[in-house]
Amino acid sequence: MDELKEIADNLIEGEADKVGELIQAAIDKGIGVEKILNEGLIVGMTVVGQQFKKEEIFLPEVLFAARAMKAGLELLEPLLLSIGTASKGKVVLGTVKGDVHDIGKNLVAVMLKGAGFEVIDIGVDTPAERFIEAAREQGARLIGMSALLGTTMQNMQTTITALEEAGLKGQIKTMIGGAIVTQSFADKIGADGYAPDAASAVDKAKELLGLS
Ligand code: B12
């Protein structure tokens, strides 16, 4: 359908207003909400993720596309919730205690939402207990933690230890990321997964929740 391709193309170009207009027009025309999400927004965001991974586009383009995705999702979210679209699962996402960097975390949130996950974003400077409390309250099976500072990355370990102490390690999986984080650090602290960028974070979340 041309409308859906147009939505995807405008998302790739980062045209947030146009994406909003096209989505509203598609809704008014009676095109299914899930079709608009899957064949419009998600197709577009998948292309953006792939281009970013291959370094064909860079952060500014991704941020514009992310903004367009957010504009589109805001229109679709209430309709999706009202028809009870099956979510891929809930992910609690936050930046660890002492750290206020959130650009990367927000990108991960948009990509996860775009891929059909329900994201509970608990913000920045988040203590270990808050991650666990949110996961328990929401029944989330995955916690995603972001850190960009050498002084705060250790707080990821604190959350994992607290999960262990609460007897929840394994039941609630952990996925970590942020420019300073590496796979070997993830292995060292016992995180279940690591991803270097937002597109790979989606693949990792699917893998950890047994969806891939
Ligand atoms: C923007 C920025 C800031 C902004 C943050 C604004 C915001 N709202 O986020 C501000 C100005 C507030 C800031 C403050 C500070 N900053 Co700063 N900041 C940066 C900068 C320039 C860019 C970070 C960024 O957004 N990158 C872009 C995003 C998209 O990349 P990303 O976060 O890595 O995310 C990607 C992946 O890592 C991954 N990912 C991220 N999170 C997650 C989570 C999961 C679960 C997964 C799977 C994947 C994943 O996916 C993302 C998308 O692909 C970096 C330099 C750099 N080049 O990294 C310094 C940098 C991180 N900052 C640094 C420092 C030192 C500070 C300050 C201490 C400075 C000061 N003296 O006050 C303070 C600390 C404040 C605090 N307590 O947190 C240092 C850290 C050095 C270190 N190794 O510890 C850096 C590296 C700069 C430098 N070279 O010195 N900073």
Side-chain angles (χ1 to χ4, degrees):
M1 230 180 273
D2 284 353
E3 291 96 332
L4 300 175
K5 187 173 178 318
E6 228 186 310
I7 290 172
D9 289 347
N10 276 279
L11 182 135
I12 296 165
E13 295 301 322
E15 300 287 347
D17 291 346
K18 188 77 186 152
V19 166
E21 276 168 36
L22 289 165
I23 286 188
Q24 194 54 56
I27 295 170
D28 294 344
K29 208 178 156 192
I31 299 176
V33 197
E34 286 178 86
K35 210 172 165 70
I36 302 174
L37 175 66
N38 293 326
E39 293 175 35
L41 291 178
I42 293 184
V43 165
M45 206 62 199
T46 305
V47 172
V48 171
Q50 287 160 349
Q51 290 179 339
F52 186 54
K53 222 169 175 175
K54 287 192 242 153
E55 296 187 1
E56 287 168 6
I57 58 168
F58 297 96
L59 193 61
E61 287 100 324
V62 180
L63 289 174
F64 276 115
R67 209 188 52 171
M69 180 87 185
K70 197 163 170 246
L73 280 176
E74 272 165 15
L75 286 170
L76 293 183
E77 246 170 24
L79 297 167
L80 283 167
L81 291 177
S82 71
I83 58 166
T85 300
S87 148
K88 282 208 168 67
K90 291 183 179 178
V91 183
V92 168
L93 192 64
T95 302
V96 297
K97 188 170 164 60
D99 201 321
V100 302
H101 294 88
D102 70 353
I103 297 171
K105 169 186 72 65
N106 294 344
L107 273 176
V108 171
V110 169
M111 294 297 273
L112 285 172
K113 279 188 191 172
F117 288 91
E118 225 176 298
V119 176
I120 296 110
D121 188 338
I122 53 173
V124 297
D125 189 17
T126 310
E129 316 80 61
R130 182 73 195 107
F131 279 102
I132 297 172
E133 195 182 273
R136 270 185 157 149
E137 272 170 21
Q138 298 284 338
R141 287 173 50 226
L142 181 61
I143 288 176
M145 289 181 278
S146 183
L148 266 84
L149 299 172
T151 48
T152 59
M153 62 196 290
Q154 210 51 48
N155 293 331
M156 294 172 152
Q157 166 95 73
T158 316
T159 307
I160 293 170
T161 306
L163 262 182
E164 236 159 16
E165 284 169 4
L168 293 169
K169 187 150 187 330
Q171 274 178 57
I172 299 175
K173 298 275 173 67
T174 49
M175 170 171 87
I176 64 171
I180 193 147
V181 178
T182 59
Q183 180 66 57
S184 67
F185 178 71
D187 295 341
K188 192 175 132 209
I189 66 167
D192 297 301
Y194 156 77
D197 54 60
S200 328
V202 171
D203 296 339
K204 186 53 77 179
K206 286 184 185 162
E207 182 194 315
L208 292 174
L209 295 177
L211 302 168
S212 55

